[in-house]
Amino acid sequence: MEMFLTQLVPESTSFKHSCEGPDDMPAHIKACFLGSSLTIPITDGQLNLGTWQGIWLCEHRNRAGSRKVIVTINGVLQE
């Protein structure tokens, strides 16, 4: 995935921010393809993913700052 996105949106792209580094604008474009949120079904306390499904946490910057992952669980507890 990384090789594909880098070929699709190289760091040499002409779209640049003026103060955040050469990899910042390409990172924004790459993030648009993958999104920034995810809904995952949970069944009986387990991730309910298909056989070939997985979850990727992607960082598109070479020198990124710290990141936070926020998890919100919606549903009903079964008794």
Side-chain angles (χ1 to χ4, degrees), residues 2 4 15 20 22 27 39-40 45 53 61-62 73 76 78:
E2 180 183 357
F4 173 77
F15 303 111
E20 295 192 36
T39 300
I40 306 165
Q53 291 179 316
R61 304 240 7 226
N62 296 324
I73 299 176
V76 178
Q78 294 181 353

Side-chain angles (χ1 to χ4, degrees), residues 2-3 5 9-10 13-15 19 25 36-39 42 45 47 50 52 54 58-59 61 71:
E2 180 183 357
M3 290 187 317
L5 287 173
V9 186
T13 184
S14 60
F15 303 111
C19 61
M25 193 61 208
S36 61
S37 66
L38 186 62
T39 300
I42 298 175
L47 297 180
W52 304 110
C58 300
E59 175 58 67
R61 304 240 7 226
V71 177

